[in-house]
Amino acid sequence: MQSISPHRPRFQQVADRLRALIAAGELGEHSALPSERGIAEKYGISRMTARRALEALESEGLVYNEDRRGRFVSPRRLNYDVSNMVSFAADAQARGMDLEIELITVKETAADAELAEKLSVDAGEPLHEYTRLFRSNGYAIFLETECVIARRFPDLLDHDLRQSTTRLLERHYGTSARTGDIVIRMRGVRAEEAALMGLAISHPGIELEQVIRDGAGSPFCFGRQIWRGELAEFSARAIVNPENAG
Amino acid sequence: MQSISPHRPRFQQVADRLRALIAAGELGEHSALPSERGIAEKYGISRMTARRALEALESEGLVYNEDRRGRFVSPRRLNYDVSNMVSFAADAQARGMDLEIELITVKETAADAELAEKLSVDAGEPLHEYTRLFRSNGYAIFLETECVIARRFPDLLDHDLRQSTTRLLERHYGTSARTGDIVIRMRGVRAEEAALMGLAISHPGIELEQVIRDGAGSPFCFGRQIWRGELAEFSARAIVNPENAG
DNA sequence: GGTGGGTTCTGGTATATACCAGCCGAAGTT
DNA sequence: AACTTCGGCTGGTATATACCAGAACCCACC
């Protein structure tokens, strides 16, 4: 049965058994795993070792950890097609997915050097900035902060921001998103982000940045999302650039 | 100085100081951080607490961990533009980047249900499968396993696979990659993968899958890469689908 | 019918200790 | 010059213990 290696570490063996429980469907999506203390007692290991087993499952994305509440089975991942520049919100609603948007903060700021470059404006340019938390069925998915050029969208913050801003900007200002430049990278969630999403600090996450441009190619919005790593799946379509193929 | 919260955990405080060291440039890319024992002694904490501080930096992607060798400062991330379907190898070479490809395994297999679906062939279809490790300046970047339809590329495995296969298939078989379907998700590296890359198990990683299609839209290659999370950065370009915009 | 306190869950932080296992270089051997 | 061995580095595994802090639930009290 376990002829793989002479000394498969205990925490791995326990992780294997928990993994098997989940694979067998004994534990459905979002259902609670046994507690660290419970596992320690059941398998005759110390609590710290039990924790290592659970952490192994977390790093696989099989399990997630809510700060001081327990560990739960990760649900199926949510797919976001980044090549098709309809916002996640608009896309999700079109597919009939349950999606709640909570407005966390709103403020008026000014572009720093980095934002100025990304949005092709001068540093100091007034911006609307807002942070929103996206949930599905009550579970946090990602946290997003967007910055839009205030001059182009006066009184934007008077609208209800608990909806797709892509659609909002289209309807009320006639600006539609035509292209986007996207960057994806992995990083742990920061303490404040974790607190807002109810997760333990350093929860694995994926950051997605996008610069959104209008039909004339002018950027008007910069967004940065931090997704729960175990939930995110991004798909994209690639097409050979004819110039390179020539 | 530390008026942020009543009890900022010690491991966080130590992580802050190490982070500051790196930010100040005292430690350059790939240079070794102090050992767990060294940190414990220097800051008057236990070794386990020192480790937690280091793990916090790892999850941020600021530091990486080589199994039983030590922890090192992460270098600048490598960018891979997934929208432009030139392979990473071809692209890297074009940009003059140092890139070594090590062939790990080669075998002849048959498509299982999943691969059959992805490659639009019947289950059991013969495939060439090979695994390669990509390095730059001696440092592992990602591990890739590709499966190509054997019937279309006879004797492929007789060629030197330590080069861009996109280019190889183009030159010797007249098949060029035209489009690709890509999926990106986060997951910890598995034990075997970690061993090949010299990393500790559960090292944070990003998996990238791609189905590559020819000019006729027929898939001929399926690849799965596992990148070191702290090194990877994927960029993509989005364009609104005119059908959705209508 | 809510509100305030419990108690009891959960994980989070922290220490001290022990030994294991791979890596590496230096020293000694062939 | 190549090879082996060994000792001292590194992190990895594992235990036992203690107390802290937030979440949840229940119940008694108003």
Side-chain angles (χ1 to χ4, degrees):
Chain A
M1 206 52 161
Q2 50 180 45
S3 55
I4 308 163
S5 75
H7 290 307
R8 183 156 176 79
R10 293 215 208 183
F11 81 89
Q12 292 269 24
Q13 296 176 29
V14 173
D16 290 344
R17 301 189 50 173
L18 294 170
R19 207 181 286 115
L21 277 184
I22 296 167
E26 314 244 341
L27 295 167
E29 299 189 349
H30 295 297
S31 62
L33 272 79
S35 70
E36 297 176 354
R37 291 173 174 88
I39 290 170
E41 193 182 353
K42 176 164 183 180
Y43 295 100
I45 57 181
S46 76
R47 183 178 157 208
M48 282 311 201
T49 306
R51 174 182 296 213
R52 313 274 249 103
L54 289 162
E55 284 172 342
L57 300 181
E58 281 178 55
S59 85
E60 290 171 30
L62 208 62
V63 161
Y64 65 89
N65 179 348
E66 289 194 17
D67 193 39
R68 275 168 249 256
R69 294 211 329 112
R71 288 184 175 84
F72 305 87
V73 178
S74 300
R76 237 184 64 253
R77 290 180 191 255
L78 294 166
N79 189 279
Y80 177 25
D81 182 350
V82 298
S83 289
N84 211 354
M85 180 95 279
V86 280
S87 77
F88 181 76
D91 194 35
Q93 282 161 357
R95 288 185 299 167
M97 177 184 153
D98 173 81
L99 188 70
E100 308 126 46
I101 304 178
E102 182 189 344
L103 189 59
I104 307 290
T105 59
V106 171
K107 64 177 169 181
E108 303 285 352
T109 48
D112 61 14
E114 190 197 334
L115 275 168
E117 199 258 315
K118 286 190 157 76
L119 291 171
S120 297
V121 296
D122 293 328
E125 174 80 24
L127 303 174
H128 299 311
E129 178 182 316
Y130 48 88
T131 299
R132 301 180 298 171
L133 175 59
F134 289 67
R135 293 180 213 267
S136 180
N137 300 314
Y139 298 103
I141 307 172
F142 66 88
L143 199 60
E144 177 187 62
T145 299
E146 281 189 332
C147 297
V148 299
I149 299 174
R151 207 163 19 89
R152 292 189 59 167
F153 310 100
D155 306 318
L156 172 66
L157 303 184
D158 293 342
H159 291 92
D160 185 356
L161 294 173
R162 293 171 303 173
Q163 57 177 307
S164 161
T165 43
T166 306
R167 288 254 191 281
L168 198 155
L169 298 182
E170 214 163 56
R171 269 206 293 269
H172 294 279
Y173 301 91
T175 295
S176 54
R178 193 65 133 282
T179 62
D181 293 328
I182 292 163
V183 176
I184 294 171
R185 60 177 83 88
M186 161 263 141
R187 61 157 244 249
V189 304
R190 287 190 263 269
E192 327 83 68
E193 298 163 340
L196 285 168
M197 296 200 272
L199 302 171
I201 64 165
S202 295
H203 186 94
I206 296 192
E207 183 174 78
L208 186 148
E209 289 182 358
Q210 48 189 355
V211 174
I212 303 177
R213 299 168 190 276
D214 61 22
S218 301
F220 60 89
C221 175
F222 173 73
R224 179 181 279 129
Q225 304 169 353
I226 176 78
W227 287 63
R228 292 171 57 171
E230 80 279 9
L231 249 53
E233 181 171 273
F234 303 107
S235 56
R237 232 155 305 111
I239 300 169
V240 169
N241 184 336
E243 288 160 36
N244 293 345
Chain B
M1 204 53 161
Q2 49 179 43
S3 55
I4 308 164
S5 75
H7 291 306
R8 184 157 173 79
R10 293 215 208 181
F11 80 89
Q12 294 268 24
Q13 296 177 30
V14 174
D16 290 344
R17 301 189 51 176
L18 295 170
R19 207 180 287 116
L21 276 186
I22 296 168
E26 312 246 343
L27 296 167
E29 300 189 348
H30 295 296
S31 62
L33 272 79
S35 70
E36 297 176 354
R37 290 172 175 89
I39 290 171
E41 193 183 353
K42 176 163 184 182
Y43 296 99
I45 57 181
S46 76
R47 184 178 156 208
M48 282 310 201
T49 305
R51 173 182 297 212
R52 313 273 248 104
L54 290 162
E55 283 171 343
L57 301 181
E58 281 178 55
S59 85
E60 290 171 30
L62 208 63
V63 160
Y64 64 90
N65 178 348
E66 289 195 16
D67 194 39
R68 274 166 249 257
R69 294 211 328 113
R71 288 184 174 83
F72 306 88
V73 178
S74 301
R76 237 186 63 255
R77 290 180 192 256
L78 295 165
N79 190 279
Y80 177 25
D81 182 350
V82 299
S83 290
N84 212 352
M85 179 96 279
V86 281
S87 77
F88 181 76
D91 193 36
Q93 281 162 357
R95 288 185 298 169
M97 175 184 155
D98 174 81
L99 187 69
E100 309 127 45
I101 303 179
E102 182 189 343
L103 189 59
I104 307 290
T105 58
V106 171
K107 63 178 168 182
E108 303 286 353
T109 48
D112 59 16
E114 190 197 335
L115 276 168
E117 199 259 316
K118 286 191 157 74
L119 291 170
S120 299
V121 295
D122 293 328
E125 175 79 25
L127 304 173
H128 300 310
E129 179 183 315
Y130 48 88
T131 299
R132 302 179 299 172
L133 175 59
F134 289 67
R135 294 178 213 268
S136 180
N137 301 116
Y139 298 103
I141 307 172
F142 65 88
L143 199 60
E144 177 187 63
T145 299
E146 282 189 331
C147 296
V148 300
I149 299 174
R151 209 161 19 89
R152 292 189 60 168
F153 309 101
D155 307 318
L156 172 67
L157 304 184
D158 294 342
H159 292 91
D160 185 357
L161 294 173
R162 293 171 303 173
Q163 58 176 305
S164 161
T165 43
T166 306
R167 288 253 190 283
L168 197 154
L169 298 181
E170 213 162 58
R171 270 206 293 269
H172 294 280
Y173 301 90
T175 295
S176 53
R178 194 66 133 281
T179 63
D181 294 326
I182 292 163
V183 176
I184 294 171
R185 60 178 83 89
M186 162 263 141
R187 59 157 247 247
V189 303
R190 287 190 263 270
E192 327 83 67
E193 297 163 343
L196 286 167
M197 295 200 273
L199 304 170
I201 64 164
S202 296
H203 186 95
I206 296 192
E207 184 174 79
L208 187 149
E209 289 182 358
Q210 49 189 355
V211 174
I212 303 176
R213 299 167 190 277
D214 60 22
S218 301
F220 61 89
C221 175
F222 173 74
R224 179 181 280 129
Q225 305 170 353
I226 175 79
W227 287 63
R228 292 171 56 169
E230 80 280 8
L231 248 54
E233 181 171 272
F234 302 107
S235 56
R237 234 155 304 111
I239 301 169
V240 168
N241 185 336
E243 288 161 36
N244 294 344

